[in-house]
Amino acid sequence: MRKFCEPDIEQFSNQARHLNDRWLWQVYSDIQQAIALHSLNVEIPLAEIYRRIDF
């Protein structure tokens, strides 16, 4: 049986650190997207994360 895969990353980020109830949920499922890690001031393309995966 053949399995179909697709990129799928869920990110939860705290938008207001002094208020513990302000979380943002983002889903990345397009290989052309980049996930932003704001605390590290970096963006990582999904194509790089999944570079050895054939879809």
Side-chain angles (χ1 to χ4, degrees):
M1 176 176 247
R2 185 176 172 185
K3 293 184 180 181
F4 293 92
C5 298
E6 61 185 41
D8 185 41
I9 296 177
E10 295 182 24
Q11 178 187 38
F12 293 87
S13 56
N14 192 338
Q15 296 299 297
R17 294 179 188 204
H18 62 282
L19 301 172
N20 290 331
D21 61 350
R22 303 279 320 239
W23 288 85
L24 176 65
W25 173 54
Q26 292 181 293
V27 176
Y28 301 88
S29 56
D30 183 348
I31 199 72
Q32 301 302 318
Q33 290 178 295
I35 184 169
L37 303 176
H38 298 290
S39 61
L40 300 175
N41 197 28
V42 68
E43 285 190 359
I44 305 171
L46 267 65
E48 182 64 23
I49 294 170
Y50 288 100
R51 73 176 178 253
R52 295 184 184 189
I53 306 297
D54 293 325
F55 294 104

Short mmCIF file of all heavy atoms in Angstrom, two decimals:
data_model
loop_
_atom_site.label_atom_id
_atom_site.label_comp_id
_atom_site.label_asym_id
_atom_site.label_seq_id
_atom_site.Cartn_x
_atom_site.Cartn_y
_atom_site.Cartn_z
N MET A 1 0.84 -1.18 0.00
CA MET A 1 0.00 0.00 0.00
C MET A 1 0.88 1.25 0.00
O MET A 1 1.82 1.35 0.78
CB MET A 1 -0.91 -0.01 1.23
CG MET A 1 -1.76 1.23 1.37
SD MET A 1 -2.88 1.12 2.76
CE MET A 1 -4.39 1.09 1.86
N ARG A 2 0.58 2.18 -0.87
CA ARG A 2 1.36 3.40 -0.98
C ARG A 2 0.83 4.47 -0.04
O ARG A 2 -0.37 4.69 0.04
CB ARG A 2 1.30 3.91 -2.42
CG ARG A 2 2.15 5.09 -2.67
CD ARG A 2 2.10 5.47 -4.13
NE ARG A 2 2.81 6.73 -4.28
CZ ARG A 2 2.88 7.40 -5.40
NH1 ARG A 2 2.29 6.95 -6.47
NH2 ARG A 2 3.53 8.52 -5.46
N LYS A 3 1.72 5.12 0.70
CA LYS A 3 1.34 6.19 1.62
C LYS A 3 1.62 7.54 0.96
O LYS A 3 2.62 7.71 0.29
CB LYS A 3 2.12 6.10 2.92
CG LYS A 3 1.78 4.89 3.74
CD LYS A 3 2.52 4.93 5.05
CE LYS A 3 2.18 3.71 5.87
NZ LYS A 3 2.83 3.71 7.16
N PHE A 4 0.71 8.46 1.14
CA PHE A 4 0.90 9.80 0.62
C PHE A 4 1.26 10.72 1.77
O PHE A 4 0.63 10.71 2.81
CB PHE A 4 -0.38 10.30 -0.07
CG PHE A 4 -0.68 9.54 -1.32
CD1 PHE A 4 -1.49 8.43 -1.31
CD2 PHE A 4 -0.11 9.94 -2.53
CE1 PHE A 4 -1.76 7.73 -2.47
CE2 PHE A 4 -0.37 9.23 -3.70
CZ PHE A 4 -1.20 8.13 -3.67
N CYS A 5 2.28 11.50 1.56
CA CYS A 5 2.75 12.43 2.59
C CYS A 5 2.63 13.85 2.07
O CYS A 5 2.66 14.09 0.87
CB CYS A 5 4.21 12.16 2.94
SG CYS A 5 4.51 10.54 3.61
N GLU A 6 2.53 14.75 2.96
CA GLU A 6 2.56 16.16 2.62
C GLU A 6 3.14 16.93 3.79
O GLU A 6 3.09 16.47 4.93
CB GLU A 6 1.17 16.67 2.26
CG GLU A 6 0.17 16.55 3.38
CD GLU A 6 -1.22 16.96 2.96
OE1 GLU A 6 -1.64 16.61 1.85
OE2 GLU A 6 -1.88 17.63 3.76
N PRO A 7 3.72 18.07 3.53
CA PRO A 7 4.28 18.86 4.63
C PRO A 7 3.18 19.27 5.60
O PRO A 7 2.07 19.60 5.19
CB PRO A 7 4.87 20.09 3.96
CG PRO A 7 4.71 19.92 2.50
CD PRO A 7 3.88 18.73 2.25
N ASP A 8 3.49 19.22 6.87
CA ASP A 8 2.52 19.62 7.88
C ASP A 8 3.26 19.99 9.16
O ASP A 8 3.83 19.13 9.82
CB ASP A 8 1.53 18.51 8.15
CG ASP A 8 0.43 18.94 9.10
OD1 ASP A 8 -0.05 20.08 8.97
OD2 ASP A 8 0.07 18.14 9.97
N ILE A 9 3.26 21.27 9.47
CA ILE A 9 3.88 21.75 10.71
C ILE A 9 2.87 22.64 11.41
O ILE A 9 2.26 23.52 10.79
CB ILE A 9 5.17 22.54 10.43
CG1 ILE A 9 6.22 21.62 9.82
CG2 ILE A 9 5.70 23.19 11.71
CD1 ILE A 9 7.50 22.32 9.44
N GLU A 10 2.68 22.42 12.69
CA GLU A 10 1.84 23.28 13.51
C GLU A 10 2.74 24.05 14.47
O GLU A 10 3.62 23.47 15.09
CB GLU A 10 0.82 22.46 14.30
CG GLU A 10 -0.17 21.76 13.43
CD GLU A 10 -1.21 21.00 14.22
OE1 GLU A 10 -1.44 21.33 15.39
OE2 GLU A 10 -1.79 20.06 13.66
N GLN A 11 2.49 25.34 14.56
CA GLN A 11 3.32 26.19 15.42
C GLN A 11 2.41 26.96 16.39
O GLN A 11 1.44 27.59 15.98
CB GLN A 11 4.12 27.18 14.59
CG GLN A 11 4.97 28.13 15.41
CD GLN A 11 5.62 29.19 14.55
OE1 GLN A 11 5.03 29.70 13.61
NE2 GLN A 11 6.85 29.52 14.89
N PHE A 12 2.75 26.90 17.65
CA PHE A 12 2.08 27.69 18.67
C PHE A 12 3.09 28.71 19.17
O PHE A 12 4.20 28.34 19.56
CB PHE A 12 1.61 26.82 19.83
CG PHE A 12 0.52 25.86 19.46
CD1 PHE A 12 0.80 24.62 18.93
CD2 PHE A 12 -0.80 26.23 19.64
CE1 PHE A 12 -0.21 23.75 18.59
CE2 PHE A 12 -1.83 25.36 19.31
CZ PHE A 12 -1.53 24.11 18.78
N SER A 13 2.73 29.98 19.13
CA SER A 13 3.65 31.00 19.62
C SER A 13 2.91 31.96 20.54
O SER A 13 1.75 32.29 20.32
CB SER A 13 4.30 31.76 18.46
OG SER A 13 3.31 32.31 17.61
N ASN A 14 3.61 32.37 21.59
CA ASN A 14 3.05 33.27 22.58
C ASN A 14 3.23 34.70 22.09
O ASN A 14 4.34 35.18 21.97
CB ASN A 14 3.76 33.04 23.92
CG ASN A 14 3.06 33.72 25.06
OD1 ASN A 14 2.30 34.66 24.88
ND2 ASN A 14 3.30 33.23 26.26
N GLN A 15 2.13 35.38 21.80
CA GLN A 15 2.18 36.71 21.23
C GLN A 15 2.35 37.81 22.27
O GLN A 15 2.84 38.87 21.98
CB GLN A 15 0.91 36.97 20.42
CG GLN A 15 0.80 36.05 19.23
CD GLN A 15 1.97 36.22 18.27
OE1 GLN A 15 2.16 37.28 17.71
NE2 GLN A 15 2.75 35.17 18.10
N ALA A 16 1.93 37.55 23.49
CA ALA A 16 2.07 38.54 24.57
C ALA A 16 2.60 37.80 25.79
O ALA A 16 1.85 37.20 26.54
CB ALA A 16 0.73 39.21 24.87
N ARG A 17 3.87 37.82 25.96
CA ARG A 17 4.51 37.00 27.00
C ARG A 17 4.04 37.34 28.41
O ARG A 17 4.05 36.51 29.28
CB ARG A 17 6.02 37.10 26.89
CG ARG A 17 6.51 36.48 25.62
CD ARG A 17 7.98 36.59 25.47
NE ARG A 17 8.30 36.13 24.13
CZ ARG A 17 9.46 35.67 23.78
NH1 ARG A 17 10.43 35.61 24.64
NH2 ARG A 17 9.67 35.28 22.56
N HIS A 18 3.64 38.57 28.63
CA HIS A 18 3.17 38.95 29.95
C HIS A 18 1.73 38.49 30.19
O HIS A 18 1.27 38.44 31.32
CB HIS A 18 3.29 40.46 30.17
CG HIS A 18 2.48 41.27 29.22
ND1 HIS A 18 2.88 41.50 27.92
CD2 HIS A 18 1.29 41.90 29.37
CE1 HIS A 18 1.97 42.23 27.31
NE2 HIS A 18 1.00 42.48 28.16
N LEU A 19 1.02 38.12 29.13
CA LEU A 19 -0.33 37.55 29.23
C LEU A 19 -0.27 36.12 28.72
O LEU A 19 -0.10 35.88 27.54
CB LEU A 19 -1.32 38.36 28.39
CG LEU A 19 -1.47 39.83 28.74
CD1 LEU A 19 -2.34 40.52 27.70
CD2 LEU A 19 -2.06 39.99 30.12
N ASN A 20 -0.42 35.17 29.60
CA ASN A 20 -0.23 33.77 29.22
C ASN A 20 -1.34 33.21 28.35
O ASN A 20 -1.28 32.07 27.93
CB ASN A 20 -0.07 32.90 30.47
CG ASN A 20 1.25 33.17 31.16
OD1 ASN A 20 2.22 33.55 30.51
ND2 ASN A 20 1.28 32.99 32.46
N ASP A 21 -2.36 34.00 28.05
CA ASP A 21 -3.48 33.47 27.27
C ASP A 21 -3.50 33.99 25.83
O ASP A 21 -4.48 33.83 25.13
CB ASP A 21 -4.80 33.78 27.95
CG ASP A 21 -5.04 35.27 28.10
OD1 ASP A 21 -4.12 36.05 27.85
OD2 ASP A 21 -6.17 35.64 28.48
N ARG A 22 -2.44 34.57 25.34
CA ARG A 22 -2.39 35.12 23.98
C ARG A 22 -1.51 34.26 23.09
O ARG A 22 -0.40 34.64 22.75
CB ARG A 22 -1.88 36.56 24.01
CG ARG A 22 -2.64 37.53 24.85
CD ARG A 22 -3.90 38.08 24.21
NE ARG A 22 -3.77 38.37 22.81
CZ ARG A 22 -3.96 39.55 22.28
NH1 ARG A 22 -4.25 40.58 23.02
NH2 ARG A 22 -3.87 39.70 20.98
N TRP A 23 -1.98 33.12 22.71
CA TRP A 23 -1.24 32.21 21.87
C TRP A 23 -1.78 32.24 20.45
O TRP A 23 -2.97 32.34 20.22
CB TRP A 23 -1.32 30.78 22.41
CG TRP A 23 -0.53 30.61 23.66
CD1 TRP A 23 -0.93 30.88 24.93
CD2 TRP A 23 0.82 30.16 23.76
NE1 TRP A 23 0.07 30.63 25.81
CE2 TRP A 23 1.16 30.18 25.13
CE3 TRP A 23 1.76 29.74 22.83
CZ2 TRP A 23 2.41 29.79 25.57
CZ3 TRP A 23 3.01 29.35 23.29
CH2 TRP A 23 3.32 29.37 24.65
N LEU A 24 -0.87 32.14 19.49
CA LEU A 24 -1.23 32.10 18.08
C LEU A 24 -0.90 30.72 17.53
O LEU A 24 0.21 30.21 17.75
CB LEU A 24 -0.44 33.16 17.31
CG LEU A 24 -0.63 33.20 15.80
CD1 LEU A 24 -2.06 33.57 15.44
CD2 LEU A 24 0.35 34.18 15.17
N TRP A 25 -1.87 30.12 16.85
CA TRP A 25 -1.68 28.80 16.24
C TRP A 25 -1.60 28.99 14.74
O TRP A 25 -2.47 29.63 14.13
CB TRP A 25 -2.83 27.89 16.62
CG TRP A 25 -2.84 26.57 15.92
CD1 TRP A 25 -1.83 25.65 15.88
CD2 TRP A 25 -3.93 26.00 15.19
NE1 TRP A 25 -2.21 24.54 15.17
CE2 TRP A 25 -3.51 24.73 14.72
CE3 TRP A 25 -5.20 26.42 14.87
CZ2 TRP A 25 -4.32 23.91 13.99
CZ3 TRP A 25 -6.01 25.58 14.13
CH2 TRP A 25 -5.57 24.34 13.69
N GLN A 26 -0.54 28.47 14.12
CA GLN A 26 -0.38 28.55 12.67
C GLN A 26 -0.07 27.17 12.13
O GLN A 26 0.66 26.39 12.76
CB GLN A 26 0.77 29.49 12.31
CG GLN A 26 0.47 30.94 12.62
CD GLN A 26 1.63 31.83 12.22
OE1 GLN A 26 2.69 31.76 12.81
NE2 GLN A 26 1.41 32.66 11.22
N VAL A 27 -0.63 26.89 10.96
CA VAL A 27 -0.39 25.62 10.28
C VAL A 27 0.33 25.92 8.97
O VAL A 27 -0.08 26.79 8.21
CB VAL A 27 -1.71 24.88 10.00
CG1 VAL A 27 -1.46 23.61 9.21
CG2 VAL A 27 -2.43 24.58 11.30
N TYR A 28 1.40 25.19 8.73
CA TYR A 28 2.18 25.32 7.51
C TYR A 28 2.05 24.01 6.74
O TYR A 28 2.43 22.96 7.26
CB TYR A 28 3.65 25.59 7.83
CG TYR A 28 3.88 26.84 8.63
CD1 TYR A 28 3.84 26.83 10.01
CD2 TYR A 28 4.13 28.06 7.99
CE1 TYR A 28 4.05 27.99 10.75
CE2 TYR A 28 4.34 29.22 8.72
CZ TYR A 28 4.29 29.18 10.10
OH TYR A 28 4.50 30.32 10.81
N SER A 29 1.50 24.07 5.54
CA SER A 29 1.30 22.84 4.76
C SER A 29 1.71 23.01 3.30
O SER A 29 1.55 22.09 2.52
CB SER A 29 -0.15 22.39 4.85
OG SER A 29 -1.01 23.41 4.41
N ASP A 30 2.25 24.16 2.96
CA ASP A 30 2.71 24.41 1.60
C ASP A 30 4.24 24.41 1.61
O ASP A 30 4.87 25.14 2.36
CB ASP A 30 2.19 25.77 1.13
CG ASP A 30 2.55 26.08 -0.31
OD1 ASP A 30 3.40 25.38 -0.90
OD2 ASP A 30 1.99 27.06 -0.84
N ILE A 31 4.83 23.59 0.77
CA ILE A 31 6.29 23.44 0.73
C ILE A 31 6.99 24.76 0.40
O ILE A 31 8.17 24.94 0.69
CB ILE A 31 6.69 22.32 -0.27
CG1 ILE A 31 8.12 21.83 0.00
CG2 ILE A 31 6.52 22.76 -1.70
CD1 ILE A 31 8.29 21.02 1.23
N GLN A 32 6.27 25.73 -0.16
CA GLN A 32 6.83 27.03 -0.50
C GLN A 32 6.83 28.00 0.68
O GLN A 32 7.40 29.09 0.59
CB GLN A 32 6.05 27.66 -1.66
CG GLN A 32 6.05 26.80 -2.92
CD GLN A 32 7.44 26.50 -3.43
OE1 GLN A 32 8.29 27.37 -3.45
NE2 GLN A 32 7.67 25.26 -3.83
N GLN A 33 6.22 27.62 1.80
CA GLN A 33 6.17 28.49 2.97
C GLN A 33 7.45 28.40 3.78
O GLN A 33 8.25 27.48 3.62
CB GLN A 33 5.00 28.10 3.89
CG GLN A 33 3.64 28.42 3.33
CD GLN A 33 2.55 27.96 4.27
OE1 GLN A 33 2.40 26.78 4.51
NE2 GLN A 33 1.81 28.92 4.79
N ALA A 34 7.60 29.35 4.68
CA ALA A 34 8.72 29.34 5.64
C ALA A 34 8.14 29.56 7.03
O ALA A 34 7.25 30.40 7.22
CB ALA A 34 9.73 30.42 5.31
N ILE A 35 8.62 28.81 7.99
CA ILE A 35 8.17 28.96 9.37
C ILE A 35 9.07 29.98 10.06
O ILE A 35 10.30 29.92 9.96
CB ILE A 35 8.17 27.60 10.11
CG1 ILE A 35 7.59 27.75 11.52
CG2 ILE A 35 9.52 26.95 10.12
CD1 ILE A 35 7.32 26.44 12.21
N ALA A 36 8.45 30.93 10.73
CA ALA A 36 9.19 31.99 11.42
C ALA A 36 9.36 31.62 12.88
O ALA A 36 8.39 31.32 13.57
CB ALA A 36 8.45 33.31 11.29
N LEU A 37 10.60 31.65 13.34
CA LEU A 37 10.92 31.46 14.75
C LEU A 37 11.34 32.82 15.29
O LEU A 37 12.50 33.21 15.22
CB LEU A 37 12.02 30.41 14.92
CG LEU A 37 11.72 29.05 14.30
CD1 LEU A 37 12.92 28.13 14.45
CD2 LEU A 37 10.48 28.43 14.92
N HIS A 38 10.35 33.56 15.78
CA HIS A 38 10.57 34.95 16.16
C HIS A 38 11.59 35.11 17.30
O HIS A 38 12.37 36.06 17.29
CB HIS A 38 9.25 35.61 16.54
CG HIS A 38 8.27 35.63 15.40
ND1 HIS A 38 8.44 36.43 14.30
CD2 HIS A 38 7.14 34.93 15.18
CE1 HIS A 38 7.45 36.23 13.46
NE2 HIS A 38 6.64 35.31 13.97
N SER A 39 11.58 34.21 18.25
CA SER A 39 12.51 34.33 19.37
C SER A 39 13.96 34.17 18.93
O SER A 39 14.88 34.66 19.59
CB SER A 39 12.17 33.32 20.47
OG SER A 39 12.28 32.01 19.97
N LEU A 40 14.18 33.49 17.81
CA LEU A 40 15.53 33.31 17.27
C LEU A 40 15.81 34.25 16.11
O LEU A 40 16.91 34.25 15.56
CB LEU A 40 15.72 31.86 16.81
CG LEU A 40 15.56 30.79 17.89
CD1 LEU A 40 15.65 29.41 17.27
CD2 LEU A 40 16.60 30.97 18.98
N ASN A 41 14.79 35.00 15.70
CA ASN A 41 14.89 35.93 14.57
C ASN A 41 15.36 35.23 13.30
O ASN A 41 16.30 35.65 12.62
CB ASN A 41 15.81 37.10 14.92
CG ASN A 41 15.62 38.27 13.99
OD1 ASN A 41 14.54 38.45 13.44
ND2 ASN A 41 16.66 39.04 13.79
N VAL A 42 14.67 34.11 12.98
CA VAL A 42 15.04 33.31 11.81
C VAL A 42 13.78 32.74 11.16
O VAL A 42 12.77 32.53 11.81
CB VAL A 42 16.01 32.18 12.23
CG1 VAL A 42 15.34 31.16 13.10
CG2 VAL A 42 16.67 31.54 11.05
N GLU A 43 13.87 32.53 9.86
CA GLU A 43 12.83 31.83 9.11
C GLU A 43 13.45 30.59 8.45
O GLU A 43 14.55 30.67 7.91
CB GLU A 43 12.23 32.72 8.02
CG GLU A 43 11.30 33.76 8.54
CD GLU A 43 10.55 34.46 7.41
OE1 GLU A 43 10.77 34.13 6.22
OE2 GLU A 43 9.73 35.32 7.73
N ILE A 44 12.74 29.48 8.51
CA ILE A 44 13.24 28.25 7.92
C ILE A 44 12.23 27.79 6.87
O ILE A 44 11.07 27.54 7.19
CB ILE A 44 13.41 27.14 8.98
CG1 ILE A 44 14.32 27.62 10.11
CG2 ILE A 44 13.94 25.86 8.35
CD1 ILE A 44 14.37 26.69 11.29
N PRO A 45 12.64 27.68 5.62
CA PRO A 45 11.73 27.20 4.58
C PRO A 45 11.33 25.74 4.81
O PRO A 45 12.17 24.92 5.21
CB PRO A 45 12.55 27.32 3.29
CG PRO A 45 13.71 28.19 3.64
CD PRO A 45 13.94 28.05 5.10
N LEU A 46 10.07 25.43 4.57
CA LEU A 46 9.64 24.05 4.70
C LEU A 46 10.40 23.15 3.74
O LEU A 46 10.67 21.99 4.06
CB LEU A 46 8.14 23.93 4.45
CG LEU A 46 7.25 24.01 5.69
CD1 LEU A 46 7.33 25.35 6.36
CD2 LEU A 46 5.85 23.62 5.38
N ALA A 47 10.77 23.68 2.60
CA ALA A 47 11.56 22.89 1.64
C ALA A 47 12.87 22.42 2.25
O ALA A 47 13.36 21.33 1.94
CB ALA A 47 11.83 23.71 0.38
N GLU A 48 13.44 23.21 3.14
CA GLU A 48 14.68 22.82 3.82
C GLU A 48 14.41 21.76 4.90
O GLU A 48 15.16 20.81 5.06
CB GLU A 48 15.36 24.04 4.43
CG GLU A 48 16.67 23.76 5.11
CD GLU A 48 17.76 23.26 4.16
OE1 GLU A 48 17.69 23.52 2.96
OE2 GLU A 48 18.70 22.60 4.66
N ILE A 49 13.33 21.93 5.62
CA ILE A 49 12.98 20.95 6.67
C ILE A 49 12.69 19.58 6.05
O ILE A 49 13.09 18.55 6.58
CB ILE A 49 11.76 21.46 7.47
CG1 ILE A 49 12.13 22.73 8.24
CG2 ILE A 49 11.23 20.37 8.41
CD1 ILE A 49 10.97 23.45 8.88
N TYR A 50 12.01 19.59 4.91
CA TYR A 50 11.60 18.35 4.25
C TYR A 50 12.48 18.00 3.05
O TYR A 50 12.05 17.30 2.14
CB TYR A 50 10.14 18.47 3.79
CG TYR A 50 9.14 18.45 4.91
CD1 TYR A 50 8.59 19.63 5.39
CD2 TYR A 50 8.73 17.25 5.49
CE1 TYR A 50 7.64 19.62 6.41
CE2 TYR A 50 7.81 17.23 6.50
CZ TYR A 50 7.27 18.42 6.96
OH TYR A 50 6.34 18.39 7.97
N ARG A 51 13.70 18.46 3.03
CA ARG A 51 14.53 18.33 1.83
C ARG A 51 14.81 16.89 1.40
O ARG A 51 15.07 16.63 0.24
CB ARG A 51 15.84 19.09 2.00
CG ARG A 51 16.83 18.45 2.94
CD ARG A 51 18.14 19.22 2.96
NE ARG A 51 19.05 18.62 3.89
CZ ARG A 51 19.37 19.13 5.07
NH1 ARG A 51 18.86 20.25 5.44
NH2 ARG A 51 20.20 18.49 5.86
N ARG A 52 14.76 15.94 2.28
CA ARG A 52 15.03 14.54 1.89
C ARG A 52 13.77 13.69 1.82
O ARG A 52 13.84 12.46 1.77
CB ARG A 52 16.01 13.92 2.89
CG ARG A 52 17.36 14.57 2.84
CD ARG A 52 18.33 13.90 3.74
NE ARG A 52 19.59 14.62 3.71
CZ ARG A 52 20.68 14.18 4.27
NH1 ARG A 52 20.69 13.02 4.89
NH2 ARG A 52 21.77 14.90 4.20
N ILE A 53 12.63 14.36 1.79
CA ILE A 53 11.34 13.67 1.73
C ILE A 53 10.76 13.84 0.34
O ILE A 53 10.68 14.94 -0.18
CB ILE A 53 10.36 14.23 2.77
CG1 ILE A 53 10.95 14.22 4.19
CG2 ILE A 53 9.03 13.49 2.71
CD1 ILE A 53 11.26 12.85 4.72
N ASP A 54 10.36 12.74 -0.27
CA ASP A 54 9.68 12.79 -1.57
C ASP A 54 8.18 12.74 -1.33
O ASP A 54 7.67 11.82 -0.69
CB ASP A 54 10.08 11.60 -2.44
CG ASP A 54 11.54 11.68 -2.84
OD1 ASP A 54 12.05 12.79 -3.06
OD2 ASP A 54 12.19 10.61 -2.92
N PHE A 55 7.49 13.73 -1.87
CA PHE A 55 6.03 13.78 -1.72
C PHE A 55 5.35 13.25 -2.96
O PHE A 55 5.77 13.38 -4.04
CB PHE A 55 5.56 15.22 -1.46
CG PHE A 55 6.04 15.74 -0.14
CD1 PHE A 55 7.08 16.64 -0.08
CD2 PHE A 55 5.45 15.33 1.03
CE1 PHE A 55 7.53 17.14 1.13
CE2 PHE A 55 5.89 15.82 2.25
CZ PHE A 55 6.93 16.72 2.30
#
